[in-house]
Amino acid sequence: MLGVLIVLCALLGLAIGSFLNVVIYRVPNGMSIVSPRSACPVCGTQIAERDNIPVLSWVLLRGRCRHCHEPISARYPLVELSCAALFAGLAARFGYDWALPAFLVLFAGLLALSVIDVETMLLPRKIVWPLSVLVTALFVMAAAATGRWHDLLVGAICGAAWFVVFFLLNLASPRMLGFGDVRLAPVLGLALGWLGVRYVLLGFFAANLIGAVIGVALIATKRMSRQQQIPYGVFLALGCAVAVFAGPELLRPFASY
Ligand SMILES: [Zn+2]
């Protein structure tokens, strides 16, 4: 019955992706994510229920506001589709596992943070703190349900270790690694540590490898200067995704560690 879970998670991902769009737009602008209702950023007309269906509404309206006909960014359906794909992928990866909710929430948060990091170079505390608390609570729930307290302990130690490592990296090079990344590190260490120490090492390695490759490519093509800040949070999120999704395959030779 894995197919049922994957479809349900994909649909949930569409709905959560729609919520993430609100978070991505409003949190960096200091607006409430609860009220008022969503409105067209150009003409200010509130978006009706029927025009607020993830992806479908954007396609039916051909990417334009129903009232002022100004284009609506393709970012909205793309975030919704990405969230649906991530949720479906996590359902396929973990199946009916008590840790699935923790990973769903973590990756929803990482998706929102990545878009915000690219646009503003910030990882807002208003997202990082609640995300960290919620994900931690869900892992405690998973440990309580399955008795995997040892994995939780390993995760907690890895979370603390990542905090220390990132704190020192931030001291050494605040331009490359901002304090937002230091705040985000513990929850990532916890999630990957739950899977095993080798996943933490793979996530860290993958994040820096992806960051280095993209950074060098951007500098070489003069899209970025050497002095410019990089959105390291995006690479952290990508490294985490590599560890979670490709980890079992990539780490097979190290399975006994
Ligand atoms: Zn409008």
Side-chain angles (χ1 to χ4, degrees):
M1 294 316 280
L2 186 61
V4 176
L5 184 70
I6 293 174
V7 171
L8 285 178
C9 283
L11 292 174
L12 179 68
L14 282 177
I16 298 291
S18 183
F19 169 68
L20 295 183
N21 277 320
V22 175
V23 170
I24 290 165
Y25 178 69
R26 292 190 187 183
V27 171
N29 290 314
M31 295 156 73
S32 162
I33 54 168
V34 187
S35 65
R37 286 182 54 90
S38 297
C40 165
V42 180
C43 69
T45 308
Q46 287 200 346
I47 294 164
E49 216 58 74
R50 60 173 176 164
D51 292 340
N52 215 359
I53 305 160
V55 184
L56 196 64
S57 292
W58 190 87
V59 173
L60 289 175
L61 291 167
R62 292 192 191 83
R64 289 174 184 278
C65 169
R66 185 184 287 278
H67 296 273
C68 66
H69 305 291
E70 286 297 320
I72 298 166
S73 170
R75 191 184 78 198
Y76 292 91
L78 284 177
V79 166
E80 288 157 356
L81 284 174
S82 306
C83 195
L86 273 173
F87 275 31
L90 287 167
R93 161 77 169 82
F94 290 104
Y96 291 90
D97 187 307
W98 279 96
L100 178 61
F103 281 100
L104 293 178
V105 171
L106 176 69
F107 275 93
L110 288 179
L111 178 56
L113 286 170
S114 297
V115 179
I116 293 174
D117 200 14
V118 168
E119 290 187 343
T120 68
M121 290 290 162
L122 292 171
L123 297 171
R125 264 167 289 184
K126 275 187 178 166
I127 299 173
V128 174
W129 291 144
L131 177 70
S132 302
V133 170
L134 187 54
V135 169
T136 304
L138 288 169
F139 274 117
V140 171
M141 186 199 79
T146 58
R148 289 175 62 185
W149 294 106
H150 179 257
D151 292 330
L152 186 67
L153 179 66
V154 172
I157 294 169
C158 289
W162 259 29
F163 179 80
V164 173
V165 168
F166 279 60
F167 190 85
L168 295 175
L169 287 174
N170 172 255
L171 277 184
S173 174
R175 192 176 54 78
M176 190 191 101
L177 198 143
F179 208 79
D181 303 307
V182 181
R183 281 188 210 103
L184 182 62
V187 73
L188 302 181
L190 169 66
L192 296 181
W194 169 271
L195 298 174
V197 174
R198 57 195 190 280
Y199 285 83
V200 181
L201 299 174
L202 174 61
F204 187 70
F205 175 74
N208 289 294
L209 183 66
I210 296 167
V213 168
I214 295 180
V216 167
L218 288 176
I219 290 169
T221 55
K222 306 227 185 298
R223 273 175 240 261
M224 197 179 93
S225 74
R226 219 172 271 274
Q227 281 71 38
Q228 218 170 326
Q229 221 188 348
I230 59 160
Y232 192 73
V234 178
F235 304 130
L236 274 180
L238 288 172
C240 231
V242 167
V244 167
F245 288 107
E249 201 61 39
L250 292 174
L251 291 166
R252 190 163 296 164
F254 313 99
S256 56
Y257 294 93

